Amino acid sequence: MGEPGQKKVVERLGDLSEQEFRKALHQVTEWATHYRSTISERPISTPGQPGEVTARLPSTIPKDAIPIENILADFERLILPNLVHWGHPAFLGYFGSTTTAPGILGEFIAGTLNVSAMTWATSPAATELESVVLQWLRKLLRLPDPFFGVVYDTASVATLHALAAARESLPLNIRALGLSGREDVPRLRIYVSDQAHSSIVKAAITLGIGEANVRRIACDNVFRMDAADLQRAIQNDRLAGYLPLAVIGTVGTTSAAAVDPIPEIAAVCKKERIWLHVDAAYGGAMALLPEGREFMNGVADADSVVVNPHKWLFVPLDFSTLYTKHPEQLRAVFSLVPEYLRGDAEQSEINYMDYGIQLGRRFRALKAWMVFSAFGERGLVARIREHIRLARLFASWVEGEAEFELAAPVHMGVVCFRAKPVPREGSTLQNQNELNISIVKRVNASGRAYITHTLLDKKVALRIAVGNVLTNEEHLEKVYRLIKDAFANATEEHRVTSS
Ligand code: PLP
C-alpha cells in the first residue's frame, strides 16, 4: 500500500486485452497455415554454431512488457531460422514425429484450457476422454480387454513406469523399504536385445537396478533377439544368484525397425515367471494393418506394452501410451494421495495421478482424439500403408544400384542401406564408414533433406524413416538423388585426397 496522499502507480495487471489477443491469434493462424503450406520450400536446417541464438537474445528478462507483435517478429527473426524443421516432407531422420492439422488444433485448444487431468474431479472430461482414446487405441492395437492404458509424455517415461510396476511385483516391498542398505535384495536383472533402445538402460539407472544389470542378448542376422540365448542368460544368472526382473522385447527397433520374436520371448517369460514388457513405441502402429498384425503376435501375452502415437500415429509430440495387465501394480508403486486431494480422489475410480510419478497432467487426450477422429481408422491405415509403400519403393531403388546395398530387411517405414565404394587397395571398413558418414553430412548440409545414420553389424548404415503425412514419392526421389550426388562427390573427394 502506498503512503496516504502518494500518487498511485497504475500498472496493467491481468492478461492481454481481448483485442490484442484476437489480433495476435489472427497473426499466428496466418503464420501457421503459411508455415504448413510452404514448409517444403524451406531449408530443413541451416547450419549454425552453438550459442548463436543465445548471443542474439538478451541475457536478462526484459524489465518492461514487450508488445506481442514484437515478440512474434522476434520469433520469426531469431528462433525460426535456427530450428530443424521436422515437419518438412524431406525430413527423414530418427522416427520423424509428424504433426497434423487436427493435432495442431488439439494442442492449441488444450493450451487455451490449461486444465490438469490429475484426478477425475479436476476435469472430468479430460480424464474420461483419456480413457475413451485409450480404449479406441487398445482396440486398434488388438490388445485384449485386460490391458489397461495410461498416457505419458514419452516411451522412455512409459517404460520407466512399466519397470517400476514389474519391480513392485517382486516380493521385496521396494516401494516401502527402498533398495539401499538391504542385504535381502538380490541383484536384479533386465534382459534386452543388443538393438534395444537406450531408454531401457535409463529406466534401470533411475530405478536403482543399475546399468550393469541390463543384460544385452545377442541378435540374429536380421537384428532380432535370440530367444534361446535369452533362456541361457536367465538360467546362468539364476545360478549366479541374480533375480531376473523383466525382459523387454522390441517391435520396431530404433535402428532397423526389426521385430523380436515376441511369442518365443513370451514363452520364456511365462516359464521363468518374468515380467515381459514390449517396446512397440514405433512398430505398434503396424497392428492397425491386417497385413501388419503378425508383427504384434505374442504381445497379448505381455505384461505391458508401450506404443507411441507421436511416432507413427500422427499425434504431435508428446503422446505415449502404456498398456498393462497389472494396473494394480502401477498403483501399488505410485498411488499416494496428499490430504488436499483426498476429497477429489474419492470421487472416481480413475484418477490418472495414481498411475504415475506426475501429479499435474496435460490434457493430451484432446489432440489424440482430434487426430483419430479427423482421420478415422481408415485414414490412419491408409497413411501407414502409404509410408510402407514409399519405404519399399525407396528400398527397390537402392537394390537396383551396384554402389548401394540394403543393410536390413524393410518391413515398416524404415530403410537402412549403405554405400559400398568399389574396393581399392588399402581401403578399409573405416574408409567405408567415413564415406557413409560423409554422405549424411553432405545431404543434411544441403538443407533439402535430412537423414541419419546408424550402426548395424559394426558398419555405418544410412537410414531414412518415412512417417510424415506430407511426404510423397516426389520428395523421396529428390532425397535419393541428393544421396547419390553426395556419394559421387564424397567418392571424388576421397580419391583426390588419397592420391
Ligand atoms: N523405443 C524405441 C524403439 C524408440 O525408437 C524410441 C525413440 O526413438 C524410444 C523407445 C523412446 O521414445 P521417446 O522419445 O518417446 O521416449
Side-chain angles (χ1 to χ4, degrees):
M1 248 213 266
E3 295 295 315
Q6 192 181 321
K7 200 165 170 223
K8 219 169 135 196
V9 178
V10 181
E11 273 188 12
R12 222 185 85 197
L13 300 177
D15 205 349
L16 299 185
S17 70
E18 184 185 329
Q19 224 181 1
E20 285 170 305
F21 183 45
R22 177 168 293 116
K23 193 168 158 224
L25 265 186
H26 279 302
Q27 216 178 318
V28 170
T29 312
E30 279 308 309
W31 173 82
T33 39
H34 184 251
Y35 176 75
R36 287 290 284 162
S37 62
T38 57
I39 191 164
S40 60
E41 292 149 34
R42 289 173 184 273
I44 297 181
S45 69
T46 329
Q49 292 303 316
E52 245 177 58
V53 179
T54 316
R56 277 189 253 135
L57 291 165
S59 60
T60 50
I61 184 170
K63 275 268 182 273
D64 294 310
I66 296 184
I68 204 79
E69 58 262 35
N70 295 14
I71 301 172
L72 292 175
D74 281 351
F75 161 72
E76 290 219 42
R77 197 169 53 87
L78 301 173
I79 313 295
L80 193 61
N82 286 278
L83 294 175
V84 174
H85 296 281
W86 282 57
H88 192 294
F91 177 96
L92 304 173
Y94 318 104
F95 286 127
S97 162
T98 182
T99 194
T100 47
I104 296 168
L105 297 172
E107 282 284 20
F108 172 74
I109 299 171
T112 309
L113 295 169
N114 196 33
V115 300
S116 180
M118 52 195 188
T119 64
W120 174 86
T122 55
S123 231
T127 290
E128 293 190 25
L129 191 63
E130 184 163 334
S131 302
V132 167
V133 165
L134 281 162
Q135 195 189 158
W136 284 6
L137 185 60
R138 179 181 64 70
K139 289 180 181 167
L140 285 177
L141 296 170
R142 269 77 188 168
L143 291 174
D145 197 15
F147 276 98
F148 166 93
V150 193
V151 174
Y152 300 103
D153 52 0
T154 56
S156 306
V157 169
T159 292
L160 172 73
H161 282 81
L163 293 179
R167 199 182 61 169
E168 204 55 29
S169 70
L170 302 173
L172 294 169
N173 202 9
I174 290 171
R175 167 177 169 149
L177 305 176
L179 284 168
S180 65
R182 288 181 66 182
E183 283 179 4
D184 61 324
V185 177
R187 281 177 76 181
L188 304 175
R189 282 280 218 216
I190 289 178
Y191 303 84
V192 296
S193 90
D194 59 23
Q195 297 292 308
H197 191 260
S198 54
S199 55
I200 296 154
V201 182
K202 282 201 182 179
I205 296 168
T206 313
L207 294 169
I209 291 153
E211 207 172 342
N213 288 313
V214 180
R215 250 194 106 152
R216 295 275 183 179
I217 306 296
C219 283
D220 63 14
N221 62 348
V222 284
F223 314 106
R224 298 154 28 106
M225 187 195 284
D226 179 339
D229 213 29
L230 169 71
Q231 176 70 74
R232 276 190 296 275
I234 293 170
Q235 266 160 4
N236 291 341
D237 276 354
R238 284 205 200 275
L239 288 174
Y242 291 98
L243 181 58
L245 166 66
V247 176
I248 292 100
T250 308
V251 175
T253 56
T254 313
S255 280
V259 180
D260 285 335
I262 304 296
E264 289 167 44
I265 295 172
V268 173
C269 290
K270 190 169 177 200
K271 179 167 151 243
E272 297 285 343
R273 301 169 72 89
I274 303 176
W275 185 290
L276 171 59
H277 174 65
V278 175
D279 179 352
Y282 170 65
M286 291 296 284
L288 273 72
L289 314 186
E291 67 273 25
R293 260 164 230 159
E294 63 178 290
F295 294 118
M296 290 286 272
N297 279 352
V299 176
D301 293 324
D303 296 281
S304 53
V305 51
V306 57
V307 176
N308 266 9
H310 75 215
K311 284 207 196 306
W312 204 11
L313 284 169
F314 320 118
V315 179
L317 260 175
D318 47 16
F319 192 88
S320 179
T321 57
L322 177 73
Y323 289 91
T324 176
K325 285 184 196 149
H326 313 287
E328 74 290 351
Q329 295 295 351
L330 259 184
R331 278 184 65 108
V333 187
F334 293 108
S335 177
L336 187 68
V337 183
E339 186 51 40
Y340 73 97
L341 287 173
R342 200 165 295 282
D344 281 1
E346 279 162 3
Q347 288 187 51
S348 171
E349 300 245 303
I350 277 278
N351 296 304
Y352 282 113
M353 69 170 187
D354 287 340
Y355 298 89
I357 194 152
Q358 264 189 280
L359 177 58
R361 301 175 76 255
R362 298 182 64 220
F363 188 6
R364 291 195 180 90
L366 187 69
K367 61 184 171 184
W369 176 65
M370 290 182 66
V371 172
F372 295 166
S373 305
F375 291 165
E377 180 176 354
R378 282 211 194 96
L380 296 174
V381 166
R383 285 168 175 83
I384 295 166
R385 204 171 262 151
E386 172 64 0
H387 291 157
I388 298 167
R389 185 190 75 80
L390 289 174
R392 290 200 177 134
L393 180 68
F394 189 95
S396 71
W397 298 336
V398 168
E399 281 179 307
E401 308 272 358
E403 61 266 28
F404 287 102
E405 67 183 2
L406 283 184
V410 177
H411 29 238
M412 298 190 194
V414 172
V415 186
C416 291
F417 60 106
R418 62 175 69 87
K420 29 167 213 178
V422 184
R424 281 179 297 122
E425 213 184 317
S427 69
T428 59
L429 174 62
Q430 196 189 339
N431 295 146
Q432 187 180 352
N433 284 347
E434 281 167 6
L435 175 88
N436 279 287
I437 294 280
S438 140
I439 293 174
V440 175
K441 287 191 180 149
R442 282 162 196 266
V443 167
N444 294 351
S446 76
R448 286 183 286 146
Y450 199 101
I451 63 172
T452 46
H453 81 274
T454 188
L455 212 55
L456 289 170
D457 280 337
K458 302 202 177 88
K459 288 189 233 164
V460 169
L462 309 177
R463 180 183 174 286
I464 64 152
V466 187
N468 186 333
V469 291
L470 302 180
T471 306
N472 61 30
E473 214 170 301
E474 212 180 299
H475 300 119
L476 277 198
E477 276 171 10
K478 283 189 188 152
V479 175
Y480 190 55
R481 247 178 278 134
L482 278 168
I483 292 171
K484 287 185 60 167
D485 288 350
F487 170 66
N489 293 338
T491 311
E492 180 57 28
E493 192 169 289
H494 189 72
R495 199 174 16 239
V496 171
T497 48
S498 58
S499 62

